[in-house]
Amino acid sequence: KRPSSKRSSTSRRRVKVLLGVSGGIAAITAPEIVRRLRERGHEVRCALTRNAPAFVSPLALEVLTGSPVMREEYLEAGGSGSELHIDIARWADLLCLAPATCNLLARLRLGLADDFLTTTVLAFEGQVVFAPAMSTEMWSKRVVREHVSQLEQRGFARIGPVVGRLANGEIGEGRMAEPEVIVAAIEAASRPQDLARHTVLVTAGPTREPIDPVRFLSNRSTGKMGFSIAAAAAARGAKTFLVAGPVDLPTPAGVERLDIETALELEARVQELASRADIIIMTAAVADFRPRVPALGKLKKGEGVPEIDLERNPDILMGLAKVAPHALRVGFAA
């Protein structure tokens, strides 16, 4: 069944975000997360664990949010007797834990509530998203993965971690997702899920058609439009596949990405996934032609100007009429 043609409201919604910051080196990015959320019109308050101030200034977060940072206080000032963690849990639309350290993950899994942040998490009724950050050795431990799995089964949405440079200078999996990815995930989690029953397939970026092992035919496509469409689809609840040519763009939150290089590789991936999709959006800039027989070795300029025999690449969108006849198919042309 195709999605309804009735237009849905996808305008950005103002979200009240409680940002929970725990004691890890990735906490230094908390001000950037706050700044980006505020720039996009969202309200933000921050709650810190006991060790978080060793890595990020509470004063800086207070200035950026315009609200006091919550740490150990359970009661509202003024002697009203109001329990602050209950009030904040009711105030927030979404709770984001970034970074989520090993210690915080373990405490949340067990339901421990020995500080303001963990008590608030237990009292909170809405969507929780968390961005783990730790060393590769810690992230690989079975007990940590069990904590994460249990939280996900309870409905917590995980962001990352990713492969990157860690605090010790090594490269490995465990680096917290970048602030822009976290902000996108927060907005995605707060949007209407009107595509929740749909599967969307998006193609993006250029293809590269090899001339020899070091040269290729390609184009200037950046892939940004396709990545944006995939991000929007995932944000609206769709199971989203993104088949991407060679571009240097981060994978949008909630999107399953498959990388390709040539038009034939793109065609194979698309046909493999098309039968599972009910919406297919083809924004990839597919090369019209490819060398018929790529050279096995690098072409030497001293051998003169080479003659390159080209052949036409398949029309991938046209071929989907047979593979996915019931899908809504959208094509772009430059």
Side-chain angles (χ1 to χ4, degrees):
K1 183 179 178 181
R2 293 191 181 189
S4 170
S5 59
K6 183 177 180 180
R7 187 169 183 176
S8 301
S9 174
T10 57
S11 59
R12 189 183 303 156
R13 184 170 74 91
R14 184 181 177 91
V15 181
K16 297 176 181 177
V17 179
L18 176 62
L19 178 64
V21 184
S22 56
I25 188 61
I28 63 175
T29 64
E32 179 66 10
I33 296 172
V34 172
R35 184 185 67 80
R36 288 174 178 265
L37 286 168
R38 291 296 301 272
E39 284 180 348
R40 296 177 69 80
H42 305 302
E43 293 184 58
V44 186
R45 295 186 182 181
C46 293
L48 274 58
T49 62
R50 295 184 183 94
N51 294 326
F55 301 93
V56 62
S57 165
L59 178 58
L61 295 175
E62 287 189 4
V63 171
L64 289 169
T65 61
S67 299
V69 168
M70 292 154 286
R71 295 161 70 177
E72 297 301 322
E73 301 81 5
Y74 283 82
L75 300 179
E76 288 279 16
S80 66
S82 176
E83 295 179 295
L84 184 56
H85 63 288
I86 299 297
D87 293 342
I88 294 301
R90 292 172 177 169
W91 169 86
D93 297 317
L94 182 142
L95 200 160
C96 175
L97 306 172
T101 60
C102 285
N103 183 49
L104 181 61
L105 294 174
R107 290 157 65 203
L108 293 176
R109 179 192 178 181
L110 294 174
L112 300 181
D114 59 347
D115 65 1
F116 181 87
L117 179 57
T118 52
T119 305
T120 304
V121 174
L122 276 181
F124 184 63
E125 299 290 343
Q127 178 66 61
V128 179
V129 299
F130 67 106
M134 63 199 71
S135 69
T136 302
E137 290 81 2
M138 297 170 76
W139 177 245
S140 65
K141 292 296 185 293
R142 179 178 177 180
V143 66
V144 174
R145 296 303 182 93
E146 288 175 350
H147 294 334
V148 170
S149 177
Q150 283 291 322
L151 293 174
E152 289 179 317
Q153 289 178 34
R154 295 179 198 170
F156 286 38
R158 177 166 61 90
I159 314 165
V162 300
V163 175
R165 188 171 297 278
L166 305 173
N168 61 8
E170 296 179 356
I171 303 295
E173 187 176 16
R175 180 184 175 90
M176 190 174 78
E178 295 299 320
E180 62 268 23
V181 175
I182 293 173
V183 170
I186 289 171
E187 292 190 328
S190 63
R191 286 185 182 131
Q193 302 294 286
D194 55 345
L195 292 180
R197 297 184 180 181
H198 296 286
T199 299
V200 177
L201 171 59
V202 183
T203 66
T207 62
R208 290 178 177 175
E209 310 301 329
I211 296 173
D212 62 19
V214 298
R215 301 180 180 90
F216 53 82
L217 299 177
S218 190
N219 56 67
R220 298 182 187 276
S221 173
T222 64
K224 291 180 179 179
M225 180 168 67
F227 275 65
S228 295
I229 291 173
R236 291 170 61 181
K239 182 175 180 59
T240 306
F241 296 99
L242 174 63
V243 183
V247 294
D248 185 19
L249 295 173
T251 304
V255 172
E256 184 173 337
R257 175 175 175 176
L258 302 97
D259 292 313
I260 57 88
E261 285 212 359
T262 69
L264 294 182
E265 290 174 355
L266 177 63
E267 181 184 41
R269 283 294 192 183
V270 167
Q271 292 197 350
E272 174 187 337
L273 297 168
S275 61
R276 301 160 61 181
D278 46 9
I279 304 172
I280 303 174
I281 303 177
M282 307 284 285
T283 72
V286 184
D288 295 313
F289 305 95
R290 67 179 184 274
R292 188 180 299 276
V293 182
L296 297 178
K298 179 182 176 182
L299 298 174
K300 307 293 185 181
K301 62 181 180 181
E303 297 174 354
V305 179
E307 292 185 2
I308 302 174
D309 185 19
L310 300 178
E311 62 181 344
R312 186 178 294 277
N313 272 321
D315 188 327
I316 300 173
L317 180 59
M318 187 69 68
L320 290 177
K322 292 183 179 180
V323 179
H326 303 296
L328 173 65
R329 305 184 299 278
V330 181
F332 289 79

